Amino acid sequence: MTARRPLVPSYGTASLADLSSSLLALLGMDTGNPLGLEPAGRVLLLLVDGLGAELLRAHPEAAPFLSAHPDRVLTAGFPATTATSLGTLGTGLSPGEHGMLGYRIAVPGTGHLLNCLRWTTQGPPVDPDEWQPAPTVFERAAEAGVAVGYVGPSAFEPTPFNRAVYRGVRFVGADTVDDRVEGARRSLAEPRSHVTVYYGGLDAAGHRFGWGSPRWLEQLAVVDRLAERLAQTLPPGSAMYVTADHGMVNVTERIDVDAVAALREGVALLGGDTRARHVYAAPGAAGVVLDAWRDVLAGKAWVVSREEAVASGWFGPRVRPGWLPRIGDVLAVPYTDCAVVSSVAEPIETSFAGAHGSLTSAEQHVPLLEVSTR
Ligand SMILES: [Zn+2]
């Protein structure tokens, strides 16, 4: 089988990082406006976890409101995973600059992984301000006098992950659709405001039941209604955008690292997602690991060294030198619908029907829809 080419994210022109800086520019800040967004006094960003552009286009009947709005397509960034994309949206930087380089990545020098979303590690505690030191777009907007709000599940509020990517926001805990609409309405009361509403139910249904499944379609309908109601609450002079952190594929094959001895030889730590593996080699074993993973995953995945991934711009035009050891010595990124699972270490992810992380259009392409009351 001929390997397809990876869809390298469009950093600098049409990525989630470019959306963040363009939203600041729209509010009058001097950040550059790569997406060319028109000025507005208030901006509302509805961030729908897992709403890939291809997924939405496949089901217009379940999302009549969203499907009636013309969209553009952005690339999520690599890996196409929530921890990384929220870092990108939160900083306006590419992953190589902000350092949130995957779901589970190595904490250099500790021999342990950090789960960047839950902020759990078996090693010493990780300070979110040191792990992601760049100022957030929210801090920058607040400094410029913009009221910055974030409406999301109340259970998320004080986590270190939110400290890393949402520093500077005023949290509004909201657990239902009604709460979210009300939270957004109140947050948009200020004449200059930047409000993010996060919705996670679609991604959760996609993981569990697969995208396109009845449960996923139910969630898509909820998202559509949420978007429509948010649009109805927009005060004059507002712009609302709908986007996502990544798309998804339905898994048709599982390759279990715990059942294939060749995938464990020389491996010190296995990180990433099932569709964007960071493989950390024992000292001196990187070449052996690269060869073995290439061999086992031939015809199914792009398997490259850290240096190749960085040189190809997967993480952005530049990777901060201090962040390089956070990247696996080897990256394994499926282009077929297979998942590289670890049934012993990650039983829940192993069971997932839907997964994401890779450089396919189904995972990379996210919509950017606009509703305006300018
Ligand atoms: Zn997910």
Side-chain angles (χ1 to χ4, degrees):
M1 183 194 273
T2 318
R4 289 182 279 168
R5 293 175 74 81
L7 199 168
V8 177
S10 308
Y11 300 114
T13 53
S15 73
L16 290 178
D18 304 306
L19 173 59
S20 281
S21 50
S22 298
L23 292 178
L24 294 187
L26 168 162
L27 289 163
M29 292 175 60
D30 185 18
T31 56
N33 186 355
L35 301 185
L37 304 183
E38 297 292 322
R42 301 174 169 95
V43 63
L44 173 60
L45 179 67
L46 172 57
L47 174 60
V48 184
D49 203 319
L51 182 65
E54 293 186 0
L55 286 48
L56 176 60
R57 281 185 187 160
H59 289 286
E61 76 290 348
F65 176 79
L66 293 174
S67 301
H69 286 81
D71 70 337
R72 307 158 68 163
V73 168
L74 303 178
T75 49
F78 180 76
T81 196
T82 301
T84 301
S85 291
L86 267 54
T88 303
L89 282 165
T91 59
L93 302 173
S94 59
E97 298 274 2
H98 63 64
M100 305 281 288
L101 294 163
Y103 174 44
R104 288 190 184 90
I105 58 176
V107 183
T110 69
H112 292 285
L113 297 168
L114 172 69
N115 180 319
C116 289
L117 210 51
R118 306 190 195 297
W119 219 263
T120 48
T121 177
Q122 305 295 314
V126 175
D127 180 341
D129 292 7
E130 288 173 14
W131 190 255
Q132 194 305 92
T136 67
V137 293
F138 312 109
E139 291 175 304
R140 289 158 62 195
E143 235 167 64
V146 175
V148 182
Y150 172 92
V151 183
S154 48
F156 274 25
E157 279 183 34
T159 67
F161 172 74
N162 284 341
R163 174 84 200 152
V165 304
Y166 286 124
R167 277 196 294 275
V169 301
R170 195 172 56 80
F171 267 102
V172 179
D175 295 312
T176 66
V177 168
D178 285 343
D179 289 349
R180 284 180 174 84
V181 173
E182 178 56 20
R185 194 188 61 73
R186 274 188 282 119
S187 300
L188 286 167
E190 301 288 333
R192 276 181 88 212
S193 44
H194 181 304
V195 180
T196 303
V197 177
Y198 171 85
Y199 187 79
L202 185 74
D203 185 65
H207 282 304
R208 205 153 160 222
F209 305 105
W211 76 269
S213 65
R215 297 290 283 277
W216 186 89
L217 289 168
E218 274 172 33
Q219 281 294 314
L220 182 57
V222 171
V223 167
D224 196 63
R225 184 71 189 128
L226 172 61
E228 186 173 18
R229 288 185 57 196
L230 288 171
Q232 288 162 352
T233 67
L234 286 180
S238 307
M240 171 173 130
Y241 294 91
V242 184
T243 194
D245 52 351
H246 55 73
M248 183 173 278
V249 300
N250 288 340
V251 173
T252 56
E253 181 187 8
R254 289 174 181 78
I255 295 162
D256 187 356
V257 171
D258 294 318
V260 181
L263 295 180
R264 297 196 304 278
E265 200 184 326
V267 174
L269 286 172
L270 179 67
D273 290 274
T274 62
R275 289 187 54 81
R277 283 296 184 188
H278 285 271
V279 190
Y280 303 90
V288 171
V289 171
L290 182 62
D291 289 345
W293 280 64
R294 276 200 172 137
D295 191 39
V296 173
L297 296 176
K300 301 175 196 293
W302 298 294
V303 179
V304 303
S305 68
R306 170 191 296 146
E307 292 72 24
E308 289 173 80
V310 169
S312 302
W314 288 11
F315 297 100
R318 175 180 173 271
V319 175
R320 227 171 115 154
W323 299 163
L324 286 169
R326 297 181 182 182
I327 300 173
D329 297 278
V330 172
L331 292 140
V333 181
Y335 50 82
T336 65
D337 291 342
C338 80
V340 181
V341 302
S342 172
S343 59
V344 175
E346 302 168 358
I348 295 171
E349 285 91 339
T350 297
S351 73
F352 279 171
H356 51 80
S358 178
L359 292 163
T360 69
S361 57
E363 289 150 284
Q364 281 296 323
H365 282 163
V366 294
L368 179 66
L369 304 153
E370 180 179 335
V371 180
S372 167
T373 57
R374 289 184 186 92

mmCIF file of all heavy atoms in Angstrom, residues 278-322:
data_model
loop_
_atom_site.group_PDB
_atom_site.id
_atom_site.type_symbol
_atom_site.label_atom_id
_atom_site.label_comp_id
_atom_site.label_asym_id
_atom_site.label_seq_id
_atom_site.Cartn_x
_atom_site.Cartn_y
_atom_site.Cartn_z
ATOM 1 N N HIS A 278 3.534 8.999 21.140
ATOM 2 C CA HIS A 278 4.900 9.406 21.482
ATOM 3 C C HIS A 278 5.564 8.167 22.082
ATOM 4 O O HIS A 278 5.114 7.676 23.127
ATOM 5 C CB HIS A 278 4.890 10.492 22.556
ATOM 6 C CG HIS A 278 4.482 11.859 22.080
ATOM 7 N ND1 HIS A 278 5.387 12.774 21.593
ATOM 8 C CD2 HIS A 278 3.270 12.468 22.053
ATOM 9 C CE1 HIS A 278 4.751 13.910 21.280
ATOM 10 N NE2 HIS A 278 3.462 13.741 21.550
ATOM 11 N N VAL A 279 6.600 7.665 21.427
ATOM 12 C CA VAL A 279 7.299 6.484 21.938
ATOM 13 C C VAL A 279 8.674 6.938 22.421
ATOM 14 O O VAL A 279 9.478 7.450 21.632
ATOM 15 C CB VAL A 279 7.449 5.405 20.841
ATOM 16 C CG1 VAL A 279 7.940 4.104 21.458
ATOM 17 C CG2 VAL A 279 6.129 5.200 20.095
ATOM 18 N N TYR A 280 8.901 6.795 23.716
ATOM 19 C CA TYR A 280 10.163 7.238 24.322
ATOM 20 C C TYR A 280 11.066 6.020 24.486
ATOM 21 O O TYR A 280 10.682 5.040 25.143
ATOM 22 C CB TYR A 280 9.910 7.909 25.667
ATOM 23 C CG TYR A 280 8.959 9.085 25.564
ATOM 24 C CD1 TYR A 280 7.583 8.905 25.710
ATOM 25 C CD2 TYR A 280 9.442 10.365 25.286
ATOM 26 C CE1 TYR A 280 6.711 9.981 25.595
ATOM 27 C CE2 TYR A 280 8.570 11.446 25.170
ATOM 28 C CZ TYR A 280 7.209 11.244 25.329
ATOM 29 O OH TYR A 280 6.341 12.305 25.209
ATOM 30 N N ALA A 281 12.249 6.088 23.885
ATOM 31 C CA ALA A 281 13.152 4.936 23.869
ATOM 32 C C ALA A 281 14.085 4.954 25.076
ATOM 33 O O ALA A 281 14.420 6.016 25.606
ATOM 34 C CB ALA A 281 13.970 4.961 22.587
ATOM 35 N N ALA A 282 14.504 3.760 25.489
ATOM 36 C CA ALA A 282 15.570 3.651 26.492
ATOM 37 C C ALA A 282 16.847 4.220 25.877
ATOM 38 O O ALA A 282 16.976 4.275 24.646
ATOM 39 C CB ALA A 282 15.750 2.189 26.881
ATOM 40 N N PRO A 283 17.804 4.661 26.719
ATOM 41 C CA PRO A 283 19.031 5.256 26.170
ATOM 42 C C PRO A 283 19.675 4.341 25.112
ATOM 43 O O PRO A 283 19.845 3.147 25.339
ATOM 44 C CB PRO A 283 19.931 5.386 27.412
ATOM 45 C CG PRO A 283 18.961 5.516 28.557
ATOM 46 C CD PRO A 283 17.777 4.677 28.183
ATOM 47 N N GLY A 284 19.961 4.916 23.955
ATOM 48 C CA GLY A 284 20.633 4.173 22.889
ATOM 49 C C GLY A 284 19.722 3.304 22.037
ATOM 50 O O GLY A 284 20.184 2.688 21.069
ATOM 51 N N ALA A 285 18.438 3.253 22.349
ATOM 52 C CA ALA A 285 17.543 2.312 21.656
ATOM 53 C C ALA A 285 16.645 2.974 20.615
ATOM 54 O O ALA A 285 15.815 2.299 20.000
ATOM 55 C CB ALA A 285 16.694 1.560 22.673
ATOM 56 N N ALA A 286 16.813 4.290 20.382
ATOM 57 C CA ALA A 286 15.867 4.986 19.488
ATOM 58 C C ALA A 286 15.838 4.358 18.091
ATOM 59 O O ALA A 286 14.762 4.214 17.491
ATOM 60 C CB ALA A 286 16.228 6.471 19.406
ATOM 61 N N GLY A 287 16.989 3.972 17.566
ATOM 62 C CA GLY A 287 17.050 3.389 16.222
ATOM 63 C C GLY A 287 16.329 2.057 16.151
ATOM 64 O O GLY A 287 15.592 1.772 15.184
ATOM 65 N N VAL A 288 16.524 1.239 17.165
ATOM 66 C CA VAL A 288 15.868 -0.072 17.216
ATOM 67 C C VAL A 288 14.347 0.100 17.273
ATOM 68 O O VAL A 288 13.588 -0.580 16.581
ATOM 69 C CB VAL A 288 16.362 -0.853 18.471
ATOM 70 C CG1 VAL A 288 15.552 -2.118 18.690
ATOM 71 C CG2 VAL A 288 17.850 -1.169 18.335
ATOM 72 N N VAL A 289 13.908 1.044 18.119
ATOM 73 C CA VAL A 289 12.462 1.286 18.271
ATOM 74 C C VAL A 289 11.871 1.788 16.952
ATOM 75 O O VAL A 289 10.826 1.303 16.497
ATOM 76 C CB VAL A 289 12.203 2.297 19.414
ATOM 77 C CG1 VAL A 289 10.737 2.725 19.452
ATOM 78 C CG2 VAL A 289 12.624 1.702 20.757
ATOM 79 N N LEU A 290 12.564 2.726 16.311
ATOM 80 C CA LEU A 290 12.067 3.269 15.042
ATOM 81 C C LEU A 290 11.907 2.152 14.008
ATOM 82 O O LEU A 290 10.867 2.038 13.348
ATOM 83 C CB LEU A 290 13.034 4.351 14.528
ATOM 84 C CG LEU A 290 12.637 5.057 13.232
ATOM 85 C CD1 LEU A 290 11.325 5.813 13.380
ATOM 86 C CD2 LEU A 290 13.745 6.022 12.788
ATOM 87 N N ASP A 291 12.915 1.303 13.892
ATOM 88 C CA ASP A 291 12.850 0.213 12.904
ATOM 89 C C ASP A 291 11.707 -0.745 13.210
ATOM 90 O O ASP A 291 10.959 -1.148 12.318
ATOM 91 C CB ASP A 291 14.183 -0.568 12.880
ATOM 92 C CG ASP A 291 15.304 0.256 12.256
ATOM 93 O OD1 ASP A 291 14.998 1.275 11.610
ATOM 94 O OD2 ASP A 291 16.486 -0.122 12.429
ATOM 95 N N ALA A 292 11.569 -1.107 14.478
ATOM 96 C CA ALA A 292 10.550 -2.098 14.849
ATOM 97 C C ALA A 292 9.147 -1.542 14.613
ATOM 98 O O ALA A 292 8.272 -2.228 14.069
ATOM 99 C CB ALA A 292 10.719 -2.495 16.316
ATOM 100 N N TRP A 293 8.934 -0.296 15.011
ATOM 101 C CA TRP A 293 7.591 0.297 14.848
ATOM 102 C C TRP A 293 7.259 0.490 13.369
ATOM 103 O O TRP A 293 6.132 0.291 12.942
ATOM 104 C CB TRP A 293 7.490 1.606 15.635
ATOM 105 C CG TRP A 293 7.240 1.368 17.092
ATOM 106 C CD1 TRP A 293 8.089 0.745 17.975
ATOM 107 C CD2 TRP A 293 6.056 1.698 17.836
ATOM 108 N NE1 TRP A 293 7.507 0.686 19.222
ATOM 109 C CE2 TRP A 293 6.262 1.264 19.157
ATOM 110 C CE3 TRP A 293 4.861 2.331 17.508
ATOM 111 C CZ2 TRP A 293 5.301 1.429 20.165
ATOM 112 C CZ3 TRP A 293 3.900 2.516 18.498
ATOM 113 C CH2 TRP A 293 4.122 2.055 19.811
ATOM 114 N N ARG A 294 8.292 0.865 12.574
ATOM 115 C CA ARG A 294 8.067 1.012 11.116
ATOM 116 C C ARG A 294 7.652 -0.322 10.517
ATOM 117 O O ARG A 294 6.767 -0.395 9.673
ATOM 118 C CB ARG A 294 9.352 1.491 10.446
ATOM 119 C CG ARG A 294 9.492 2.976 10.522
ATOM 120 C CD ARG A 294 10.467 3.507 9.460
ATOM 121 N NE ARG A 294 10.381 4.954 9.481
ATOM 122 C CZ ARG A 294 11.428 5.778 9.413
ATOM 123 N NH1 ARG A 294 12.652 5.292 9.301
ATOM 124 N NH2 ARG A 294 11.245 7.083 9.457
ATOM 125 N N ASP A 295 8.318 -1.361 10.982
ATOM 126 C CA ASP A 295 8.070 -2.689 10.445
ATOM 127 C C ASP A 295 6.643 -3.146 10.781
ATOM 128 O O ASP A 295 5.874 -3.532 9.903
ATOM 129 C CB ASP A 295 9.125 -3.629 11.065
ATOM 130 C CG ASP A 295 9.116 -4.962 10.381
ATOM 131 O OD1 ASP A 295 8.947 -4.976 9.149
ATOM 132 O OD2 ASP A 295 9.254 -5.991 11.082
ATOM 133 N N VAL A 296 6.275 -3.049 12.052
ATOM 134 C CA VAL A 296 4.959 -3.551 12.484
ATOM 135 C C VAL A 296 3.825 -2.707 11.896
ATOM 136 O O VAL A 296 2.767 -3.239 11.537
ATOM 137 C CB VAL A 296 4.877 -3.582 14.030
ATOM 138 C CG1 VAL A 296 3.463 -3.926 14.490
ATOM 139 C CG2 VAL A 296 5.889 -4.561 14.607
ATOM 140 N N LEU A 297 4.040 -1.402 11.789
ATOM 141 C CA LEU A 297 2.948 -0.508 11.360
ATOM 142 C C LEU A 297 3.021 -0.153 9.874
ATOM 143 O O LEU A 297 2.316 0.761 9.420
ATOM 144 C CB LEU A 297 2.960 0.766 12.210
ATOM 145 C CG LEU A 297 2.676 0.540 13.704
ATOM 146 C CD1 LEU A 297 2.809 1.840 14.493
ATOM 147 C CD2 LEU A 297 1.285 -0.048 13.927
ATOM 148 N N ALA A 298 3.833 -0.889 9.113
ATOM 149 C CA ALA A 298 3.953 -0.611 7.672
ATOM 150 C C ALA A 298 2.578 -0.696 7.010
ATOM 151 O O ALA A 298 1.796 -1.618 7.267
ATOM 152 C CB ALA A 298 4.912 -1.613 7.040
ATOM 153 N N GLY A 299 2.260 0.294 6.183
ATOM 154 C CA GLY A 299 0.969 0.305 5.498
ATOM 155 C C GLY A 299 -0.173 0.828 6.340
ATOM 156 O O GLY A 299 -1.319 0.880 5.878
ATOM 157 N N LYS A 300 0.104 1.203 7.592
ATOM 158 C CA LYS A 300 -0.960 1.670 8.485
ATOM 159 C C LYS A 300 -0.673 3.036 9.107
ATOM 160 O O LYS A 300 -1.620 3.739 9.468
ATOM 161 C CB LYS A 300 -1.156 0.680 9.645
ATOM 162 C CG LYS A 300 -1.528 -0.727 9.223
ATOM 163 C CD LYS A 300 -1.565 -1.644 10.445
ATOM 164 C CE LYS A 300 -1.543 -3.117 10.075
ATOM 165 N NZ LYS A 300 -2.745 -3.584 9.384
ATOM 166 N N ALA A 301 0.594 3.374 9.306
ATOM 167 C CA ALA A 301 0.906 4.589 10.076
ATOM 168 C C ALA A 301 2.185 5.243 9.555
ATOM 169 O O ALA A 301 3.082 4.574 9.038
ATOM 170 C CB ALA A 301 1.078 4.241 11.557
ATOM 171 N N TRP A 302 2.237 6.567 9.715
ATOM 172 C CA TRP A 302 3.506 7.267 9.530
ATOM 173 C C TRP A 302 4.303 7.057 10.810
ATOM 174 O O TRP A 302 3.802 7.349 11.917
ATOM 175 C CB TRP A 302 3.263 8.759 9.328
ATOM 176 C CG TRP A 302 2.453 9.073 8.103
ATOM 177 C CD1 TRP A 302 2.824 8.870 6.795
ATOM 178 C CD2 TRP A 302 1.143 9.658 8.047
ATOM 179 N NE1 TRP A 302 1.821 9.284 5.957
ATOM 180 C CE2 TRP A 302 0.776 9.768 6.683
ATOM 181 C CE3 TRP A 302 0.233 10.095 9.010
ATOM 182 C CZ2 TRP A 302 -0.445 10.302 6.266
ATOM 183 C CZ3 TRP A 302 -0.988 10.619 8.604
ATOM 184 C CH2 TRP A 302 -1.315 10.729 7.254
ATOM 185 N N VAL A 303 5.513 6.530 10.659
ATOM 186 C CA VAL A 303 6.375 6.320 11.820
ATOM 187 C C VAL A 303 7.668 7.077 11.565
ATOM 188 O O VAL A 303 8.395 6.764 10.611
ATOM 189 C CB VAL A 303 6.649 4.818 12.048
ATOM 190 C CG1 VAL A 303 7.562 4.621 13.255
ATOM 191 C CG2 VAL A 303 5.339 4.052 12.238
ATOM 192 N N VAL A 304 7.914 8.100 12.357
ATOM 193 C CA VAL A 304 9.050 8.991 12.102
ATOM 194 C C VAL A 304 9.804 9.252 13.403
ATOM 195 O O VAL A 304 9.279 9.052 14.504
ATOM 196 C CB VAL A 304 8.604 10.355 11.505
ATOM 197 C CG1 VAL A 304 7.804 10.154 10.223
ATOM 198 C CG2 VAL A 304 7.798 11.161 12.510
ATOM 199 N N SER A 305 11.043 9.712 13.249
ATOM 200 C CA SER A 305 11.819 10.109 14.422
ATOM 201 C C SER A 305 11.370 11.491 14.881
ATOM 202 O O SER A 305 10.728 12.240 14.129
ATOM 203 C CB SER A 305 13.308 10.153 14.082
ATOM 204 O OG SER A 305 13.550 11.213 13.168
ATOM 205 N N ARG A 306 11.732 11.822 16.128
ATOM 206 C CA ARG A 306 11.452 13.165 16.647
ATOM 207 C C ARG A 306 11.989 14.221 15.686
ATOM 208 O O ARG A 306 11.294 15.201 15.365
ATOM 209 C CB ARG A 306 12.131 13.315 18.011
ATOM 210 C CG ARG A 306 12.135 14.727 18.563
ATOM 211 C CD ARG A 306 13.058 14.835 19.779
ATOM 212 N NE ARG A 306 12.590 14.028 20.879
ATOM 213 C CZ ARG A 306 13.387 13.397 21.755
ATOM 214 N NH1 ARG A 306 14.701 13.506 21.660
ATOM 215 N NH2 ARG A 306 12.878 12.680 22.725
ATOM 216 N N GLU A 307 13.222 14.026 15.207
ATOM 217 C CA GLU A 307 13.857 15.020 14.348
ATOM 218 C C GLU A 307 13.069 15.196 13.047
ATOM 219 O O GLU A 307 12.888 16.321 12.565
ATOM 220 C CB GLU A 307 15.311 14.608 14.034
ATOM 221 C CG GLU A 307 16.243 14.641 15.239
ATOM 222 C CD GLU A 307 15.987 13.502 16.258
ATOM 223 O OE1 GLU A 307 15.443 12.444 15.872
ATOM 224 O OE2 GLU A 307 16.334 13.696 17.442
ATOM 225 N N GLU A 308 12.583 14.085 12.483
ATOM 226 C CA GLU A 308 11.803 14.182 11.238
ATOM 227 C C GLU A 308 10.489 14.923 11.473
ATOM 228 O O GLU A 308 10.073 15.741 10.647
ATOM 229 C CB GLU A 308 11.496 12.779 10.692
ATOM 230 C CG GLU A 308 12.674 12.034 10.118
ATOM 231 C CD GLU A 308 12.283 10.595 9.763
ATOM 232 O OE1 GLU A 308 11.678 10.397 8.703
ATOM 233 O OE2 GLU A 308 12.564 9.685 10.562
ATOM 234 N N ALA A 309 9.844 14.620 12.578
ATOM 235 C CA ALA A 309 8.555 15.279 12.867
ATOM 236 C C ALA A 309 8.757 16.781 13.047
ATOM 237 O O ALA A 309 7.972 17.590 12.536
ATOM 238 C CB ALA A 309 7.918 14.677 14.116
ATOM 239 N N VAL A 310 9.815 17.148 13.761
ATOM 240 C CA VAL A 310 10.081 18.574 14.003
ATOM 241 C C VAL A 310 10.431 19.263 12.687
ATOM 242 O O VAL A 310 9.894 20.330 12.361
ATOM 243 C CB VAL A 310 11.206 18.741 15.048
ATOM 244 C CG1 VAL A 310 11.675 20.192 15.118
ATOM 245 C CG2 VAL A 310 10.723 18.259 16.418
ATOM 246 N N ALA A 311 11.300 18.623 11.894
ATOM 247 C CA ALA A 311 11.734 19.223 10.627
ATOM 248 C C ALA A 311 10.577 19.344 9.640
ATOM 249 O O ALA A 311 10.555 20.247 8.798
ATOM 250 C CB ALA A 311 12.868 18.398 10.013
ATOM 251 N N SER A 312 9.603 18.445 9.737
ATOM 252 C CA SER A 312 8.452 18.489 8.830
ATOM 253 C C SER A 312 7.397 19.481 9.286
ATOM 254 O O SER A 312 6.367 19.633 8.625
ATOM 255 C CB SER A 312 7.811 17.098 8.721
ATOM 256 O OG SER A 312 8.763 16.163 8.267
ATOM 257 N N GLY A 313 7.620 20.123 10.427
ATOM 258 C CA GLY A 313 6.689 21.159 10.883
ATOM 259 C C GLY A 313 5.417 20.624 11.508
ATOM 260 O O GLY A 313 4.427 21.364 11.616
ATOM 261 N N TRP A 314 5.405 19.376 11.955
ATOM 262 C CA TRP A 314 4.176 18.823 12.540
ATOM 263 C C TRP A 314 3.717 19.637 13.750
ATOM 264 O O TRP A 314 2.524 19.816 13.971
ATOM 265 C CB TRP A 314 4.388 17.368 12.973
ATOM 266 C CG TRP A 314 4.485 16.398 11.837
ATOM 267 C CD1 TRP A 314 4.619 16.691 10.499
ATOM 268 C CD2 TRP A 314 4.464 14.970 11.945
ATOM 269 N NE1 TRP A 314 4.677 15.522 9.773
ATOM 270 C CE2 TRP A 314 4.577 14.455 10.626
ATOM 271 C CE3 TRP A 314 4.373 14.068 13.002
ATOM 272 C CZ2 TRP A 314 4.592 13.084 10.358
ATOM 273 C CZ3 TRP A 314 4.386 12.711 12.743
ATOM 274 C CH2 TRP A 314 4.489 12.226 11.426
ATOM 275 N N PHE A 315 4.678 20.099 14.562
ATOM 276 C CA PHE A 315 4.334 20.831 15.795
ATOM 277 C C PHE A 315 4.328 22.351 15.578
ATOM 278 O O PHE A 315 4.081 23.095 16.523
ATOM 279 C CB PHE A 315 5.326 20.492 16.906
ATOM 280 C CG PHE A 315 5.305 19.032 17.317
ATOM 281 C CD1 PHE A 315 6.269 18.156 16.846
ATOM 282 C CD2 PHE A 315 4.310 18.544 18.151
ATOM 283 C CE1 PHE A 315 6.254 16.817 17.213
ATOM 284 C CE2 PHE A 315 4.282 17.203 18.523
ATOM 285 C CZ PHE A 315 5.265 16.332 18.053
ATOM 286 N N GLY A 316 4.620 22.779 14.362
ATOM 287 C CA GLY A 316 4.707 24.206 14.080
ATOM 288 C C GLY A 316 6.036 24.529 13.430
ATOM 289 O O GLY A 316 6.905 23.659 13.309
ATOM 290 N N PRO A 317 6.196 25.799 13.014
ATOM 291 C CA PRO A 317 7.434 26.166 12.317
ATOM 292 C C PRO A 317 8.671 26.031 13.201
ATOM 293 O O PRO A 317 9.782 25.898 12.689
ATOM 294 C CB PRO A 317 7.207 27.621 11.909
ATOM 295 C CG PRO A 317 6.015 28.091 12.677
ATOM 296 C CD PRO A 317 5.225 26.887 13.080
ATOM 297 N N ARG A 318 8.468 26.047 14.505
ATOM 298 C CA ARG A 318 9.617 26.015 15.415
ATOM 299 C C ARG A 318 9.199 25.254 16.665
ATOM 300 O O ARG A 318 8.055 25.397 17.118
ATOM 301 C CB ARG A 318 9.992 27.459 15.761
ATOM 302 C CG ARG A 318 11.076 27.632 16.783
ATOM 303 C CD ARG A 318 11.340 29.124 17.035
ATOM 304 N NE ARG A 318 12.282 29.284 18.146
ATOM 305 C CZ ARG A 318 11.937 29.369 19.427
ATOM 306 N NH1 ARG A 318 10.662 29.330 19.767
ATOM 307 N NH2 ARG A 318 12.865 29.503 20.364
ATOM 308 N N VAL A 319 10.114 24.475 17.205
ATOM 309 C CA VAL A 319 9.885 23.868 18.518
ATOM 310 C C VAL A 319 10.906 24.470 19.472
ATOM 311 O O VAL A 319 12.111 24.489 19.177
ATOM 312 C CB VAL A 319 10.040 22.328 18.482
ATOM 313 C CG1 VAL A 319 9.913 21.747 19.891
ATOM 314 C CG2 VAL A 319 8.990 21.703 17.563
ATOM 315 N N ARG A 320 10.412 25.000 20.581
ATOM 316 C CA ARG A 320 11.312 25.564 21.581
ATOM 317 C C ARG A 320 12.308 24.485 22.012
ATOM 318 O O ARG A 320 11.885 23.385 22.383
ATOM 319 C CB ARG A 320 10.464 25.974 22.786
ATOM 320 C CG ARG A 320 10.762 27.352 23.306
ATOM 321 C CD ARG A 320 9.731 27.708 24.336
ATOM 322 N NE ARG A 320 10.405 27.849 25.627
ATOM 323 C CZ ARG A 320 9.954 28.598 26.624
ATOM 324 N NH1 ARG A 320 8.817 29.246 26.485
ATOM 325 N NH2 ARG A 320 10.605 28.683 27.755
ATOM 326 N N PRO A 321 13.613 24.778 21.982
ATOM 327 C CA PRO A 321 14.596 23.724 22.287
ATOM 328 C C PRO A 321 14.320 23.013 23.611
ATOM 329 O O PRO A 321 14.463 21.791 23.706
ATOM 330 C CB PRO A 321 15.930 24.485 22.318
ATOM 331 C CG PRO A 321 15.703 25.676 21.444
ATOM 332 C CD PRO A 321 14.251 26.050 21.597
ATOM 333 N N GLY A 322 13.859 23.761 24.619
ATOM 334 C CA GLY A 322 13.588 23.154 25.915
ATOM 335 C C GLY A 322 12.445 22.146 25.889
ATOM 336 O O GLY A 322 12.314 21.309 26.787
#
